[in-house]
């Protein structure tokens, strides 16, 4: 019932039910029609009756075939509608979660993967839509068996009842045996994701390395190992089930013999007309058809489990409302962190341990430190993607965990959208082309395509791919465009990582110095890009180790001076 309630009440759902209903009664009607045709053929002078019966049989076959042809597109439409609705619910739920820490939990990822998994596995495609449609198919398969049993009951009620009960019993046994395979598959959802990751990397992600270093066999070995580790228990369970099928085979042979023998004996005894033999034989096999498990059984079981995971996620997190984003800010916000402690799930040591920092509105502050010092983590805390374990954070006087700040961030792993140059800058928000071009100019995008409609997608036939430095300028322009729309907290995380030396040297004058009425946080390992900041903050052991401008920190002779001198010596050499 849970699955049937997913079916749309109008349009596709009703049409699909009607088509399934037509096909459900066809075995019983065909058995009766064929029986009458055979009877008419044995009657003297029954040419007209035989012709009429033949027309009825042909009409039934035609209707059945038309219904079968129409079911496929209608079924696809209904499945996509149900799955689309479920995915929309899961997206809304994910957006309403308090932070990325919940999404990054293994149990949540497994539940989400099972709830919206469109991928193929062994004998299934997990989908709530397929499960709902499969449940509808099963309902009408049972109706079909009952209708065929009703026809058979006109010959023998006992045979019809015994046959129907035995067929349903065999189906129950088969289902219980084969559904154990799904338990084995669901036991390693992470393994299935890893297998897909290895396969996609071998084809696209690491295509250059595969050819340059001859990694084809290495990837193939990794894929085989992942497949064996993930599906080995499934294959062993399948072999075990196959070895236990002798009783089912014997029962099927016995029931088939009963269907053939009982009407045949009645014909030989003269209790049944020869023409009626075919009616009851066809009706009997129509009853036995329910004993066979079709693909709908797997669709139902897989979909139910995915739906149960979706229900569990809704129950656990569905009452959480998405945090509202701040309205465009008219002025730059101040930033305050007081005794902030944060550690990633499962980690022993905190990344930030009592961090205290204040940034004045409109100030340009650079944050530097060794790898793992917590620089990017600090950005995610300021933007509300994570919540601190303890301490207090405020951006513009508001806690990021309560309302997302009007911030824009250029992350190290910025996204390369397969869209036009304009959409890569605006993020699909629209806007005036003059503003887009100004953002590209500020980002130093002189070498980028002049046509804003240029498709930036290397797989596209008319698409254009960019170099690493050009992509970084596009991402930087996206951040600067967002500043122009009122996002007055600008965070640039390694903004010159893909730029050449000349572009890096002019980064401050060309980019940072042109940003007005904005609080800017600049994170970089290349200290030549941060030396002009109003303040430079050095992170160490999760705390602020040094704080001051470039000249003051160089005079201090501490960590910053050591970092800067080491980099400068490399260029002097």
């Amino acid at each position: 019932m849970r699955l049937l309630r997913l079916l749309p009440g109008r349009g596709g759902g009703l049409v699909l039910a009607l088509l399934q209903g037509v096909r459900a009664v066809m075995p019983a009607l065909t058995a009766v029609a064929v029986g009458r045709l055979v009877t008419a053929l044995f009657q003297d002078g029954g040419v007209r009756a035989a012709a009429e019966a033949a027309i009825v049989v042909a009409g039934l076959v035609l209707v059945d075939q038309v219904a079968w042809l129409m079911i496929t597109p209608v079924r696809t439409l209904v499945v996509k509608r149900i799955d689309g609705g479920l995915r929309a619910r899961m997206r809304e739920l994910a957006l309403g979660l308090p932070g990325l820490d919940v999404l990054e939990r293994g149990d949540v990822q497994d539940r989400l993967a099972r709830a919206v998994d469109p991928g193929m596995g062994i004998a299934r495609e997990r989908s709530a839509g397929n499960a709902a449609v499969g449940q509808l198919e099963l309902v009408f398969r049972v109706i079909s068996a009952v209708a065929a049993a009703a026809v058979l009951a006109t010959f023998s009620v006992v045979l019809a009842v015994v046959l129907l009960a035995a067929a349903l019993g065999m189906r129950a046994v088969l289902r219980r045996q084969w559904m154990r395979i799904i338990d084995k598959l669901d036991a390693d959802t992470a393994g299935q994701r890893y297998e897909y990751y290895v396969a996609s990397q071998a084809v696209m992600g690491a295509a250059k390395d595969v050819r340059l270093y001859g990694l084809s066999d290495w990837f193939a070995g990794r894929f085989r190992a992942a497949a064996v580790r993930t599906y080995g228990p499934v294959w062993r369970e399948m072999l075990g089930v196959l070895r236990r099928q002798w009783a089912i085979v014997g029962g099927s042979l016995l029931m088939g013999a009963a269907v053939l023998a009982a009407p045949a004996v009645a014909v030989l005894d003269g209790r049944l007309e020869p023409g009626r033999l075919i009616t009851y034989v066809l009706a009997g096999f129509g009853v036995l058809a329910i004993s066979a498990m079709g693909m709908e059984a797997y669709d139902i079981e897989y979909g139910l489990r995915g739906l149960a995971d979706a229900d569990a996620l809704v129950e656990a997190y569905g009452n959480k409302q998405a945090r509202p984003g701040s309205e465009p800010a008219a002025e730059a916000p101040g930033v305050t962190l007081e005794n902030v402690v944060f550690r990633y799930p499962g980690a022993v040591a905190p990344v930030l341990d009592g961090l205290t920092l204040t940034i004045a509105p409109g100030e340009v502050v650079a944050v530097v430190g060794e790898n793992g010092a917590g620089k990017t983590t600090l950005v995610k805390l300021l933007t509300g993607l994570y919540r601190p374990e303890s301490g207090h954070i405020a951006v513009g006087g508001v806690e990021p965990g309560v309302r997302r700040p009007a911030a824009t961030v250029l992350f190290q792993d910025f996204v390369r959208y397969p869209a036009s140059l304009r959409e890569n800058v605006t993020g699909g928000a629209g806007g005036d082309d003059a503003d887009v071009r100004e953002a590209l100019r500020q980002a130093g995008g002189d070498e980028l395509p002049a046509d804003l409609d240029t498709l930036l997608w290397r797989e596209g036939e008319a698409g254009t791919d960019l170099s690493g430095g050009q992509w970084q300028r596009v991402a930087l322009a996206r951040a600067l465009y967002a500043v122009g729309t009122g996002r007055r907290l600008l965070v640039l995380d390694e903004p010159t990582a893909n730029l050449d030396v000349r572009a890096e040297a002019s980064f401050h004058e060309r980019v940072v110095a042109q940003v007005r009425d904005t609080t800017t946080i600049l994170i970089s390992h290349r200290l030549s890009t941060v030396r002009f900041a109003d303040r430079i903050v050095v992170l160490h052991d999760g705390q602020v180790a040094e704080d001051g401008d470039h000249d003051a920190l160089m005079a201090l002779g501490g960590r910053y001076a050591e970092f800067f001198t080491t980099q400068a010596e490399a260029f002097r050499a």
Side-chain angles (χ1 to χ4, degrees):
M1 295 306 297
R2 176 72 174 89
L3 291 174
L4 292 177
R5 285 196 296 269
L6 295 177
L7 293 168
R10 298 179 181 178
L14 292 178
V15 173
L16 184 62
L18 176 62
L19 293 173
Q20 293 285 7
V22 169
R23 297 210 72 205
V25 299
M26 281 300 155
L29 294 178
T30 302
V32 174
V34 172
R36 290 181 177 177
L37 173 62
V38 173
T39 300
L41 289 173
F42 280 99
Q43 292 176 349
D44 293 334
V47 176
R48 180 175 179 179
E52 292 175 350
I55 292 173
V56 172
V57 172
L60 291 175
V61 172
L62 179 62
V63 171
D64 183 61
Q65 290 299 304
V66 170
W68 176 73
L69 289 173
M70 292 180 63
I71 279 178
T72 299
V74 176
R75 186 188 193 280
T76 301
L77 174 64
V78 173
V79 168
K80 296 303 182 184
R81 283 183 176 177
I82 295 174
D83 290 343
L86 181 61
R87 285 191 172 88
R89 288 180 60 198
M90 292 299 99
R91 282 196 299 270
E92 292 175 1
L93 182 142
L95 287 173
L97 292 176
L100 293 180
D101 52 335
V102 177
L103 279 176
E104 291 172 350
R105 284 170 40 187
D107 60 330
V108 173
Q109 289 184 359
D110 286 348
R111 288 188 181 277
L112 284 171
R114 288 191 289 265
V116 297
D117 174 20
M120 292 297 296
I122 292 182
R124 61 87 176 168
E125 180 178 359
R126 187 196 305 278
S127 158
N130 277 329
V133 171
Q135 185 64 57
L136 185 66
E137 292 173 0
L138 180 57
V139 168
F140 281 104
R141 283 192 64 191
V142 173
I143 292 175
S144 179
V146 172
V151 173
L152 186 60
T154 61
F155 165 70
S156 171
V157 174
V158 174
L159 179 61
V161 171
V162 171
L163 208 62
L164 181 60
L168 292 173
M170 287 176 54
R171 180 185 174 86
V173 173
L174 281 170
R175 181 186 176 280
R176 185 164 56 250
Q177 290 176 342
W178 286 102
M179 290 306 106
R180 293 179 59 183
I181 296 172
I182 297 180
D183 294 329
K184 301 295 183 181
L185 275 170
D186 279 350
D188 193 10
T189 305
Q192 295 174 46
R193 293 202 303 271
Y194 176 74
E195 179 194 0
Y196 172 78
Y197 171 76
V198 172
S200 62
Q201 284 291 307
V203 175
M204 291 298 298
K208 293 189 291 294
D209 287 3
V210 168
R211 288 156 178 78
L212 288 174
Y213 305 120
L215 299 180
S216 179
D217 291 340
W218 182 81
F219 267 110
R222 302 277 291 192
F223 181 81
R224 284 194 297 269
V228 170
R229 184 170 58 252
T230 302
Y231 295 113
V234 179
W235 296 327
R236 288 190 290 272
E237 182 65 30
M238 291 177 68
L239 291 175
V241 170
L242 289 174
R243 286 194 290 266
R244 296 193 295 271
Q245 296 304 300
W246 297 112
I248 300 296
V249 173
S252 299
L253 291 175
L254 183 61
M255 289 190 294
V259 169
L260 294 171
V265 170
V267 170
L268 294 175
D269 291 345
R271 294 180 288 110
L272 185 66
E273 297 179 5
R276 303 284 287 176
L277 172 65
I278 189 66
T279 294
Y280 297 128
V281 170
L282 290 177
F285 281 108
V287 175
L288 291 180
I290 193 61
S291 65
M293 280 208 328
M295 291 305 299
E296 81 280 348
Y298 292 96
D299 290 339
I300 291 169
E301 189 67 20
Y302 273 106
L304 270 177
R305 296 190 180 202
L307 195 60
D309 284 308
D311 290 342
L313 289 170
V314 171
E315 182 179 356
Y317 306 107
N319 60 345
K320 299 181 183 299
Q321 299 296 321
R323 283 168 292 171
S326 297
E327 296 295 327
E331 56 185 20
V335 176
T336 303
L337 298 96
E338 298 179 356
N339 296 318
V340 172
V341 177
F342 176 83
R343 79 187 75 223
Y344 287 98
V348 177
V351 179
L352 302 179
D353 190 7
L355 177 66
T356 297
L357 177 65
T358 299
I359 300 175
E363 195 172 20
V364 177
V365 175
V367 180
V368 301
E370 303 99 327
N371 290 330
K375 302 184 293 297
T376 301
T377 302
L378 172 63
V379 174
K380 293 178 178 179
L381 287 169
L382 289 177
T383 52
L385 299 179
Y386 290 126
R387 288 191 176 189
E389 183 178 317
S390 62
H392 176 71
I393 302 176
V395 177
V398 180
E399 182 183 351
V402 175
R403 178 184 292 273
R404 295 194 188 278
T408 179
V409 183
L410 171 60
F411 285 108
Q412 297 182 53
D413 53 346
F414 56 85
V415 181
R416 305 181 180 192
Y417 296 104
S420 67
L421 175 59
R422 178 189 294 103
E423 291 171 319
N424 265 276
V425 174
T426 64
D432 189 87
D433 283 358
D435 295 331
V436 175
R437 296 186 186 281
E438 175 61 20
L440 288 169
R441 186 198 65 78
Q442 285 185 315
D446 302 330
E447 299 177 357
L448 294 173
D451 185 2
L452 297 180
D453 291 320
T454 302
L455 179 61
L456 304 183
W457 185 34
R458 63 180 179 181
E459 283 82 17
E461 182 177 345
T464 299
D465 198 11
L466 304 178
S467 67
Q470 289 175 321
W471 268 115
Q472 187 144 37
R473 292 190 185 281
V474 172
L476 179 57
R478 181 160 61 234
L480 296 175
Y481 181 85
V483 170
T485 63
R487 295 183 173 270
R488 299 300 179 184
L489 175 60
L490 172 64
V491 183
L492 303 175
D493 191 355
E494 298 291 351
T496 62
N498 293 305
L499 301 184
D500 56 42
V501 176
R502 181 174 299 176
E504 179 184 338
S506 63
F507 177 77
H508 183 273
E509 291 81 0
R510 188 160 191 173
V511 179
V512 179
Q514 296 187 58
V515 178
R516 305 298 183 197
D517 301 322
T518 302
T519 303
T520 304
I521 299 177
L522 182 60
I523 298 174
S524 179
H525 285 97
R526 302 186 179 185
L527 301 187
S528 61
T529 63
V530 306
R531 63 180 298 176
F532 301 106
D534 299 329
R535 287 166 56 204
I536 300 172
V537 175
V538 181
L539 296 186
H540 181 66
D541 289 339
Q543 298 179 344
V544 175
E546 299 175 13
D547 187 350
D549 61 20
H550 172 76
D551 293 336
L553 294 183
M554 290 299 294
L556 182 64
R559 291 181 174 276
Y560 176 82
E562 180 183 354
F563 295 157
F564 191 90
T565 302
T566 301
Q567 290 188 13
E569 285 296 335
F571 281 98
R572 291 194 188 98

